[in-house]
Amino acid sequence: FALLYIDIDHFKVINDSMGHDAGDQLLTSMTQRLQKNLRQTDTIARLGGDEFTLILDNLSDAESAISITQNLLELLALPMAINGRDVHTSGSIGIAMYPDDGDSFGSLLKNADTAMYRAKEMGRNTFQFYTAEMSALAMRRLELEQCLRQAIDREELVLFYQPKFNLTTGQCSGMEALVRWQHPEKGLIPPDEFIPLAEETGLIVALGDWVIRQACKQMSEWKRNGYSIHNISINVSARQFHEQDLCGLFEKMLEEYQLVASEIEIELTESILVEDRQKNCEVLDRLHAMGLKIALDDFGTGYASMSNLKDFPIDTVKIDRSFVSGLPEDRESIAIVKAISSLSNALELSLIAEGVETEHQIAFLKSNACFQGQGYFWSKAVSAEEFEKTILMV
């Protein structure tokens, strides 16, 4: 038999944006839907929150589990009517097979849970079978989580800065603050390893708070020392955006460090704006009214929608590096960059290209009315000390 560990993707967003009653209604409806579509020999249980387990009995082989699991994913992805509106969900499923993946309920549950987290790392709305390699990854993940909880207090986090450049003048036009983790034993841990972990565990809120404070503090220090600073971009995660009082936090930082709001740009990905558009718009309107700039990061990927440029107070569009890397040869990249540039200029939005590495890319971007860029052509993200020595001008 197989033990499946099922987790509803982004359930917390539904709870936070629509209320816990709506979340309870969704779980009840989801349970009824699953019960109606399972075999009589299968057993489903809710562990708590948005997590379910499912025992698929009398399987001839793993292929049988795949067929049933794929059907479950399709059921989870069907829209559900909650409070008069269609809510779209999906699920991440981990599978542990008996007896290969464990000979007790405890070991099977742990391994199915590990496989479920792997499914989330793979992009959600999918399933993964447990493997021994996953167990090793899970142990590393647990270890990293414990270390990350202490990293802020131990001052192991550090901000690096990647400059932005005016493509016409060649002058630095701003910078993006990027967090790094300097572990005392493991060395520099890349952000793509600990940022997703921080998101999943909720540590991203405290980490994001530290990033905002540190970036504002550094900018204030540079200005006091006479350096010319145009703006600094700070990334804000989905969980941070939905759970933290960003307006209150930035108001406090602006006052404490005597900064001008227009010098700070908040970078958001479009996925943040998908749920509860009205509430998101209210938050962004308040931030914009304070004078802060709003940038859409990685535009053209994932949830890209022209309506976002119309409905939300966006100042800057960032062209994703995946499109810039194909310039100026790749036909699809050319078409997409031209379309983004044309749209942004028509809406009078600032435009910046990420991942610029060659003079040919710069020439193409300038010829298509994109006059800002950042990338390895000029500099990778560097420490504050290095940035001060090589980039800043008094």
Side-chain angles (χ1 to χ4, degrees), residues 55 61 90 124 206 308 355:
I55 296 175
D61 51 33
S90 62
R124 296 181 168 85
N308 290 334

Side-chain angles (χ1 to χ4, degrees), residues 360-379:
H360 293 300
Q361 291 171 346
I362 293 175
F364 178 89
L365 291 167
K366 287 169 61 178
S367 67
N368 285 276
C370 177
F371 301 111
Q372 287 193 87
Q374 64 181 112
Y376 284 6
F377 179 83
W378 298 281
S379 173

Side-chain angles (χ1 to χ4, degrees), residues 270-283:
E270 290 187 286
S271 59
I272 294 175
L273 309 178
V274 173
E275 293 290 341
D276 202 344
R277 296 175 68 87
Q278 182 177 347
K279 182 178 179 180
N280 293 338
C281 194
E282 290 173 358
V283 173

Side-chain angles (χ1 to χ4, degrees), residues 119-388:
K120 284 190 175 293
E121 291 171 1
M122 296 295 288
R124 296 181 168 85
N125 192 27
T126 188
F127 68 89
Q128 286 287 307
F129 280 90
Y130 172 79
T131 66
E133 289 79 7
M134 285 183 189
S135 184
L137 288 173
M139 289 301 296
R140 174 169 170 76
R141 181 184 181 279
L142 180 60
E143 182 184 354
L144 275 180
E145 179 183 340
Q146 293 171 342
C147 293
L148 186 57
R149 290 184 182 278
Q150 302 168 336
I152 298 177
D153 294 335
R154 293 179 175 177
E155 298 183 350
E156 295 173 8
L157 298 178
V158 61
L159 281 189
F160 276 33
Y161 301 87
Q162 185 173 38
K164 304 175 185 178
F165 281 85
N166 184 304
L167 304 188
T168 302
T169 66
Q171 297 296 313
C172 177
S173 59
M175 71 199 74
E176 179 178 358
L178 299 164
V179 65
R180 299 290 188 265
W181 181 7
Q182 186 67 53
H183 193 278
E185 298 173 359
K186 302 178 186 297
L188 198 63
I189 300 176
D192 59 357
E193 189 168 344
F194 71 87
I195 293 296
L197 177 61
E199 285 271 14
E200 291 175 15
T201 58
L203 293 172
I204 194 69
V205 177
L207 189 152
D209 183 280
W210 180 89
V211 169
I212 291 172
R213 174 176 291 277
Q214 189 65 28
C216 291
K217 179 181 178 181
Q218 182 63 70
M219 188 172 188
S220 176
E221 182 179 322
W222 275 331
K223 291 184 68 176
R224 284 198 311 271
N225 292 338
Y227 290 108
S228 176
I229 304 291
H230 296 281
N231 72 78
I232 187 168
S233 297
I234 304 172
N235 292 279
V236 172
S237 73
R239 198 155 184 172
Q240 188 181 3
F241 182 82
H242 293 295
E243 295 183 18
Q244 198 171 33
D245 178 15
L246 285 178
C247 297
L249 177 59
F250 275 106
E251 284 177 352
K252 183 178 179 181
M253 293 299 99
L254 291 173
E255 180 178 356
E256 183 173 339
Y257 293 109
Q258 295 296 297
L259 297 175
V260 179
S262 59
E263 297 172 331
I264 298 176
E265 184 175 68
I266 301 172
E267 289 196 15
L268 306 169
T269 60
E270 290 187 286
S271 59
I272 294 175
L273 309 178
V274 173
E275 293 290 341
D276 202 344
R277 296 175 68 87
Q278 182 177 347
K279 182 178 179 180
N280 293 338
C281 194
E282 290 173 358
V283 173
L284 290 179
D285 281 339
R286 287 179 60 197
L287 291 168
H288 209 253
M290 291 168 54
L292 298 165
K293 302 296 184 183
I294 310 295
L296 268 190
D297 197 9
D298 302 335
F299 188 78
T301 64
Y303 295 91
S305 170
M306 287 187 289
S307 65
N308 290 334
L309 301 181
K310 178 177 70 72
D311 296 341
F312 297 105
I314 305 300
D315 299 288
T316 303
V317 170
K318 299 192 75 175
I319 305 175
D320 186 67
R321 66 183 64 248
S322 63
F323 303 128
V324 176
S325 65
L327 300 177
E329 295 86 8
D330 183 72
R331 186 176 64 180
E332 286 78 11
S333 295
I334 290 172
I336 291 172
V337 171
K338 283 185 174 181
I340 294 174
S341 178
S342 177
L343 179 64
S344 299
N345 283 286
L347 295 174
E348 298 182 346
L349 302 175
S350 296
L351 189 62
I352 181 169
E354 296 183 293
V356 178
E357 296 185 357
T358 69
E359 292 183 356
H360 293 300
Q361 291 171 346
I362 293 175
F364 178 89
L365 291 167
K366 287 169 61 178
S367 67
N368 285 276
C370 177
F371 301 111
Q372 287 193 87
Q374 64 181 112
Y376 284 6
F377 179 83
W378 298 281
S379 173
K380 63 180 181 179
V382 295
S383 66
E385 295 78 10
E386 184 68 18
F387 195 92
E388 188 173 316

